[in-house]
Amino acid sequence: GSRDKAYAIEIFPTSGASVFDLPTAAETAADLPLSLLLTPARLNRLVEQKRRDAGQLDVTETVDALLAAVAPGGPQAEGRTGELRRRVRARLVGDLVAVLDDKTLSPTAAAQVDAAVLRYAKTLAGWKGQGAEADQAARISRLLTSGDRKALAAPRSGAVETLPPGM
């Protein structure tokens, strides 16, 4: 039979039971602006704009600013907002890894994204925290530098839809 359209437009994948899953909602909400900022066409356009006018924002500045916004630590790193930041960090890093595989990304943009990702891996490796922040920082750093980057680009929610719309 045909699938109810409400599943596609109203149901967030969830990593838990039938309760509102704030971390997954935050990750999903972050995905929209991140996916728009990190499209190959936009990154290529940043390269071209920087070539024409040295005063323009470039790929390195854009990616570094995004990564700095989700850096580990800070207030409530282990609190309820810490999990939201970790989800958004995982989404951002995964999106950066994924864009590197896109054949339409220019060599210059790819080099700048790759360099930013490697700098971030070093930052994460040197971070001296504890708990979930330290665990995620170590994992992301290890995968970014090990050649197994694609593990970060995989979907981060293994959710299975079980609830009908409206439940």
Side-chain angles (χ1 to χ4, degrees), residues 95-113:
D95 288 350
L96 289 168
V97 168
V99 79
L100 286 170
D101 281 338
D102 193 305
K103 301 299 182 208
T104 63
L105 187 65
S106 77
T108 301
Q112 290 179 315
V113 170

Side-chain angles (χ1 to χ4, degrees), residues 3 7 14-15 18 28 41 58 74 79-80 85 96 106 111 117 120 132 135 138 143 150 152-153 159 163:
R3 189 171 161 88
Y7 274 106
T14 178
S15 59
S18 61
T28 301
D58 69 2
R80 61 195 265 313
R85 184 175 43 251
L96 289 168
S106 77
V117 163
Y120 196 62
D135 294 341
L143 291 172
K150 292 187 193 283
L152 293 167
L163 295 177

Side-chain angles (χ1 to χ4, degrees), residues 29-51:
D31 187 46
L32 178 63
L34 292 176
S35 64
L36 294 174
L37 286 169
L38 299 175
T39 62
R42 177 164 170 64
L43 295 173
N44 292 343
R45 193 167 52 251
L46 288 174
V47 169
E48 180 58 19
Q49 289 171 339
K50 185 70 169 186
R51 183 188 69 77

